[in-house]
Amino acid sequence: IIGDDSILKELYNSGVKNAFVCIGALLNISLRDKIYNKLLDIGFNIPVLIHKDAIVSPYANIAFGTCVMPGAIVNPGAFIEENCIVNTGAVIEHDCKIQRNTHISPKACIAGGVSIGHDTHVGMASCIIQALHIGNNVIIGAGAVVIDNIVDNVTAVGVPSKIIKRR
């Protein structure tokens, strides 16, 4: 550790041109987005990071600032916007759209044709069945099985998932 985000501009001016957000999405997913936007404003290049043990179709589209962890699978036609996390062992099936600053947790399984809004957290080992829409600023609890569309600004948990909180 060489410092906090107050030294980012100094690092950039000293010749460091690449950066990456290494903050997860545990309690406040907006913190990831804040740091990401600060890096962009300074001028950093924020690459796509794909672990060598991830499987990503050449027909998938992954935007800059996104990290695909070991054992994750991203299938053809998937589109993952910027600053997302596809965590260890997660599966994103064909033709899914994952909007910016969204975290797909370890072992989550997203069936084909699902769309997930921005600033959303899909919990560990949760499953979302095909062709559903998950809104913006949503938390899907660990182990949830989502069988219906989920509106914006809610937390949904359980099998089958139920909305337990509105924000």
Side-chain angles (χ1 to χ4, degrees):
I1 298 174
I2 58 174
D4 60 21
D5 60 332
S6 67
I7 68 165
L8 290 173
K9 190 170 269 191
E10 178 185 332
L11 283 172
Y12 184 81
N13 291 335
S14 73
V16 176
K17 300 302 180 195
N18 294 312
F20 199 82
V21 179
C22 295
I23 299 168
L26 291 175
L27 298 175
N28 187 352
I29 199 165
S30 64
L31 180 59
R32 245 185 92 71
D33 201 39
K34 176 184 171 192
I35 300 299
Y36 175 78
N37 287 320
K38 185 172 189 172
L39 292 170
L40 286 177
D41 288 346
I42 292 169
F44 282 101
N45 174 51
I46 306 173
V48 174
L49 299 180
I50 300 174
H51 192 276
K52 67 179 182 63
D53 292 329
I55 299 169
V56 177
S57 169
Y59 302 105
N61 186 342
I62 300 176
F64 55 92
T66 290
C67 180
V68 181
M69 301 297 277
I73 299 171
V74 181
N75 277 320
F79 181 75
I80 303 171
E81 291 185 0
E82 69 270 11
N83 198 36
C84 290
I85 301 169
V86 180
N87 221 316
T88 307
V91 176
I92 298 178
E93 276 297 341
H94 63 90
D95 304 308
C96 287
K97 181 174 182 183
I98 312 296
Q99 290 184 16
R100 68 180 315 280
N101 198 45
T102 287
H103 183 173
I104 309 299
S105 293
K107 299 288 185 185
C109 185
I110 314 300
V114 169
S115 68
I116 299 176
H118 62 78
D119 301 312
T120 290
H121 183 97
V122 177
M124 188 164 60
S126 59
C127 296
I128 301 173
I129 69 165
Q130 66 277 1
L132 292 182
H133 174 76
I134 309 301
N136 302 315
N137 192 34
V138 168
I139 296 172
I140 303 295
V145 176
V146 182
I147 61 171
D148 293 307
N149 293 328
I150 304 289
V151 298
D152 294 348
N153 304 309
V154 298
T155 297
V157 302
V159 179
S161 66
K162 301 274 186 240
I163 293 171
I164 62 163
K165 182 177 178 183
R166 297 185 186 277
R167 287 187 285 288

